[in-house]
Amino acid sequence: MSEELRLQKIIADRGYCSRRHAEELILNGQVKVNGIVINELGKKFSADSEITVNGKPIYKVEEKYYFAFNKPLRVVTTLKDDRGRKTISDYIPKKYGRLFPIGRLDYNTSGLIILTNDGYFANKVMHPSSEIEKTYEAVIEGDLTLEDEKKLEEGIKLDDFVASPAKVIYKKNLSNKRTVFHIVIHEGKNREVRRMMEALDKSLISLKRIAIGNYKLENLKIGELKRLTISEIEDILFKEN
């Protein structure tokens, strides 16, 4: 049998309203428990009781989950794939229920993606007004010149839109005539970084997302999930001062 609790606590625990507001609803006769009107405080009921407010049932709020996932190459950022390819759902333990990705990484891009069941949080991260930066590590054949960087910073014209200005924050020439660099964007449109490189006539060898907002991929292993703390969630949502 479920633990017995005061009615106002059960209502608050289900995320419907505060305890104080729940007390007002009870005293006004707006709450029923198992079909019976309860209009006095202090009574206790099973935590899994059937409760209605103004005739509408209220249910326990689903626990919210927030995970960082290091997506491997050749994994589709969807929950199902009609072509039988591996998807991110293959990496999600069933005990967490249905988690969905915030945005996408294409099939041949690896790195950080956030998984959640919190629609409000997902919309906040994806909405253009939030201007949450995404940082990628790219490796190209040849060099990324200062002229190339200037074009990225000014915003490159792609087929159907002009990409918002991007920032190159790190660059190193490798011994095999390749260049590795970190590029920061905040739009995250489909294949945006790849299309920028195509517009610059650069051959892209690899692409990995290494940060969203101030949250960094760092030592998260390929194919691994990490549950985010409140401070890490804030690292995604809020810019540094």
Side-chain angles (χ1 to χ4, degrees):
M1 183 175 176
S2 179
E3 179 187 6
E4 290 203 338
L5 302 168
R6 293 185 186 276
L7 181 54
Q8 58 266 38
K9 175 171 171 52
I10 299 174
I11 294 172
D13 286 349
R14 294 188 184 184
Y16 185 81
C17 63
S18 68
R19 288 196 199 187
R20 179 166 292 184
H21 187 201
E23 290 175 356
E24 294 175 3
L25 295 171
I26 294 166
L27 292 173
N28 290 335
Q30 295 170 267
V31 180
K32 286 184 180 180
V33 178
N34 300 324
I36 300 172
V37 174
I38 306 298
N39 56 11
E40 56 184 281
L41 303 177
K43 289 192 173 183
K44 292 186 176 182
F45 299 91
S46 171
D48 57 6
S49 296
E50 179 185 316
I51 300 174
T52 62
V53 177
N54 296 322
K56 295 182 179 180
I58 61 171
Y59 303 101
K60 184 174 178 61
V61 175
E62 180 183 28
E63 184 176 1
K64 300 301 182 187
Y65 295 112
Y66 310 86
F67 285 95
F69 176 57
N70 188 350
K71 186 188 92 67
L73 292 171
R74 294 175 289 282
V75 170
V76 185
T77 314
T78 57
L79 300 180
K80 293 182 180 179
D81 182 62
D82 55 11
R83 294 166 58 184
R85 295 173 296 182
K86 203 162 194 175
T87 73
I88 57 171
S89 61
D90 294 316
Y91 296 86
I92 302 172
K94 287 184 171 56
K95 65 181 179 179
Y96 296 120
R98 184 180 182 276
L99 301 179
F100 52 86
I102 300 179
R104 294 193 176 192
L105 288 176
D106 68 51
Y107 189 64
N108 290 312
T109 299
S110 63
L112 179 62
I113 194 159
I114 306 301
L115 307 177
T116 187
N117 60 352
D118 185 343
Y120 175 82
F121 173 74
N123 290 333
K124 182 75 173 173
V125 173
M126 289 190 293
H127 198 278
S129 65
S130 298
E131 295 191 345
I132 293 174
E133 295 181 336
K134 290 91 176 174
T135 306
Y136 293 79
E137 180 180 87
V139 178
I140 59 170
E141 291 281 6
D143 190 23
L144 187 74
T145 66
L146 291 176
E147 184 180 350
D148 293 329
E149 290 184 47
K150 183 178 179 182
K151 289 179 180 178
L152 291 170
E153 290 171 357
E154 291 175 347
I156 292 181
K157 174 72 170 72
L158 303 179
D159 292 339
D160 50 351
F161 71 100
V162 177
S164 291
K167 295 183 292 184
V168 175
I169 58 174
Y170 166 84
K171 183 175 70 171
K172 181 179 180 181
N173 294 111
L174 304 177
S175 58
N176 54 359
K177 297 184 179 179
R178 293 178 175 179
T179 302
V180 58
F181 61 94
H182 295 173
I183 182 170
V184 181
I185 64 174
H186 68 258
E187 283 182 311
K189 291 185 178 179
N190 184 38
R191 301 182 70 254
E192 187 169 0
V193 176
R194 290 184 179 277
R195 294 172 69 186
M196 286 176 174
M197 294 303 105
E198 289 170 4
L200 292 175
D201 199 25
K202 304 296 180 183
S203 178
L204 186 63
I205 307 303
S206 67
L207 186 63
K208 176 172 68 175
R209 185 154 66 194
I210 58 174
I212 298 176
N214 297 319
Y215 182 79
K216 298 176 175 60
L217 183 65
E218 292 186 328
N219 298 322
L220 189 63
K221 295 177 182 177
I222 294 174
E224 188 173 65
L225 282 171
K226 177 185 180 296
R227 193 164 182 180
L228 299 176
T229 64
I230 291 173
S231 62
E232 287 170 335
I233 292 168
E234 290 177 344
D235 281 343
I236 294 168
L237 288 177
F238 304 111
K239 296 179 180 180
E240 292 178 339
N241 293 327

